[in-house]
Amino acid sequence: MSAKLDLVSASGIRRFFELIATTDGVISLGVGEPDFPTPNHISQAAIRAIENDETAYTSNYGLIELRESVARHLNRLYGIAYDPESEIIMSTGVSEGLNLATQALLDNDDEVLSPDPTYVAYMPNVVFAGGRFVTVPTKASNGFCLEAAALEAAITPATKAVLLGYPANPTGAVMDREGLEAIADVCRRHDLFVISDEIYDRLLYDGAEHTCIASLPGMKERTVLLGGFSKAYAMTGWRLGWVCAPQFITDAMMKVHQYVMMSAPTAAQFAAIEALEHGEEDARGMLAEYARRRKLVIKSCREMSLDLVEPKGAFYAFPSIVSTGLEDEEFAGRLLLEEKVAVVPGSAFGPGGRGHIRICYAQDYALLTEAMARMARFVHRYRAAVK
């Protein structure tokens, strides 16, 4: 087997959730997936496409109508202009977009800096591309946001890119504009590329605002912007995302995409056009329900006296469980076995996640209420044992 595979462990999330399949009655607060069905009018657009025999390959770049819709969408939200002909590729989910970016930008032993805690797929993609993944610690006291000084201190002559994911999985952190401008300044001064995973950009709470880093001065020409439909429109299984970048980067990514994937799923692309053109009300409705669930989780964690940085985006909470006397993997394992509630141990997201758990609140409100009650019982039991 390839020696590169020895550098990558199986997903800490997926490995843990193999246990769930063998346990009856589990309430899962683990997998980061909307519990809503895809809105019917979006699904119907795909059905019509199939009935009209729109089932062949599209352009390697994707349907031009969809790329034009993505361009309008990003311009409307962030005032950034991408040429749909040459600067947008429709990818098979943001997962493929991340792979395209790392394969196109990295040579062997190029370093990529990324905040810790970090999404589980970031490191493997860098390693598979031959690069070296270097984490930059973030602090709960700063809302798990990347600090420019810490980023700059981690740069070496081998550093080529910065990989960001905000709003963040697993912490729910959101970078404010001032903080992101400082990060952008570091990247410009050190001539670094940026890969920016902004899949959760529409999921924001309590007045938080998302800044697209590619919209900042001097950043579009060095940024690969990743986004898609999975989270905002409940379309995880449709496997469709977008990759936006200047043409010299999309030309390079296309050399990978056309041989590995050919083109993104055709019916899904017709559904995506419907989502962008007519799905705003659906997206806002789901966000309102996530906001209600978020308040429940925050309130419950406070009542359990678990230290928690209130999440400003995505649909995750990342409380510290140190006060229970349990390590995060033991906490998650015992919670599953004793109370039949599934969460993800924070260490799955890197060293900075140790002592935390990730709670996904993309779950039915009644089930979420029951899960938090079970967790409270569990926490109080172990905390009493510690005392």
Side-chain angles (χ1 to χ4, degrees):
M1 296 296 101
S2 168
K4 286 188 292 188
L5 297 182
D6 292 335
L7 303 174
V8 176
S9 301
S11 168
I13 297 177
R14 297 298 169 186
R15 184 175 68 250
F16 183 77
F17 281 97
E18 289 175 3
L19 296 172
I20 297 175
T22 60
T23 308
D24 294 330
V26 172
I27 301 175
S28 178
L29 308 182
V31 177
E33 179 172 40
D35 65 309
F36 300 104
T38 302
N40 183 256
H41 66 100
I42 295 175
S43 297
Q44 288 299 319
I47 292 170
R48 288 193 300 272
I50 294 169
E51 291 176 339
N52 292 334
D53 295 327
E54 299 282 5
T55 55
Y57 296 130
T58 68
S59 158
N60 293 139
Y61 288 88
L63 290 169
I64 184 59
E65 298 90 344
L66 177 54
R67 286 180 278 143
E68 290 171 344
S69 186
V70 170
R72 288 193 297 271
H73 175 78
L74 293 173
N75 186 259
R76 180 174 65 252
L77 290 178
Y78 307 120
I80 187 168
Y82 284 105
D83 182 351
E85 294 279 354
S86 62
E87 295 184 323
I88 300 175
I89 298 172
M90 304 313 303
S91 60
T92 308
V94 172
S95 298
E96 191 214 353
L98 175 61
N99 181 260
L100 295 179
T102 53
Q103 293 287 344
L105 294 179
L106 302 180
D107 286 315
N108 287 340
D109 295 326
D110 282 342
E111 288 182 352
V112 176
L113 305 182
S114 193
D116 174 31
T118 185
Y119 177 51
V120 296
Y122 292 167
M123 184 275 280
N125 272 274
V126 170
V127 171
F128 293 153
R132 287 186 286 160
F133 188 75
V134 180
T135 56
V136 181
T138 62
K139 299 178 292 189
S141 60
N142 191 41
F144 293 111
C145 290
L146 180 62
E147 296 178 335
L151 176 66
E152 190 155 27
I155 294 172
T156 75
T159 305
K160 191 170 189 179
V162 176
L163 173 49
L164 302 175
Y166 288 103
N169 176 7
T171 62
V174 174
M175 292 285 294
D176 63 24
R177 188 177 186 89
E178 182 180 2
L180 203 61
E181 286 175 338
I183 298 298
D185 178 64
V186 172
C187 294
R188 287 190 299 265
R189 287 190 287 105
H190 291 272
D191 194 23
L192 302 178
F193 287 110
V194 174
I195 303 170
S196 187
D197 176 2
E198 302 184 17
I199 186 63
Y200 293 100
D201 67 330
R202 308 302 306 284
L203 303 184
L204 300 163
Y205 311 100
D206 289 350
E209 296 183 358
H210 177 70
T211 299
C212 174
I213 194 168
S215 70
L216 298 179
M219 292 306 294
K220 179 187 171 184
E221 55 263 40
R222 65 179 66 251
T223 299
V224 179
L225 174 63
L226 308 177
F229 305 87
S230 292
K231 313 302 181 179
Y233 303 102
M235 294 178 68
T236 53
W238 296 82
R239 307 314 303 132
L240 193 66
W242 62 70
V243 189
C244 302
Q247 186 174 352
F248 77 95
I249 299 179
T250 56
D251 284 349
M253 290 191 292
M254 183 53 64
K255 291 180 181 180
V256 181
H257 178 67
Q258 65 185 345
Y259 294 120
V260 172
M261 197 55 64
M262 183 67 75
S263 60
T266 300
Q269 294 188 57
F270 283 95
I273 294 172
E274 177 69 17
L276 288 180
E277 297 299 327
H278 304 291
E280 185 64 23
E281 184 176 346
D282 303 288
R284 290 178 179 173
M286 287 184 274
L287 175 61
E289 179 58 19
Y290 292 142
R292 186 168 79 108
R293 298 170 184 180
R294 170 182 172 271
K295 289 180 179 178
L296 169 63
V297 170
I298 291 173
K299 179 175 182 289
S300 298
C301 287
R302 297 292 186 227
E303 290 174 348
M304 288 182 246
S305 298
L306 296 179
D307 291 335
L308 173 68
V309 176
E310 292 192 8
K312 295 183 179 180
F315 39 49
Y316 308 107
F318 203 60
S320 168
I321 48 83
V322 171
S323 63
T324 66
L326 298 174
E327 298 291 337
D328 55 272
E329 289 200 11
E330 184 181 12
F331 183 103
R334 287 180 178 270
L335 181 64
L336 176 61
L337 294 175
E338 296 177 21
E339 296 289 351
K340 295 188 177 181
V341 174
V343 296
V344 182
S347 54
F349 304 97
R354 292 194 183 108
H356 295 77
I357 58 169
R358 190 190 75 174
I359 298 169
C360 176
Y361 49 84
Q363 177 59 278
D364 175 80
Y365 192 87
L367 289 175
L368 183 62
T369 301
E370 173 62 21
M372 298 310 292
R374 294 182 190 181
M375 188 183 300
R377 185 166 61 223
F378 177 86
V379 166
H380 293 151
R381 183 163 67 245
Y382 277 93
R383 188 173 284 135
V386 171
K387 292 179 180 178

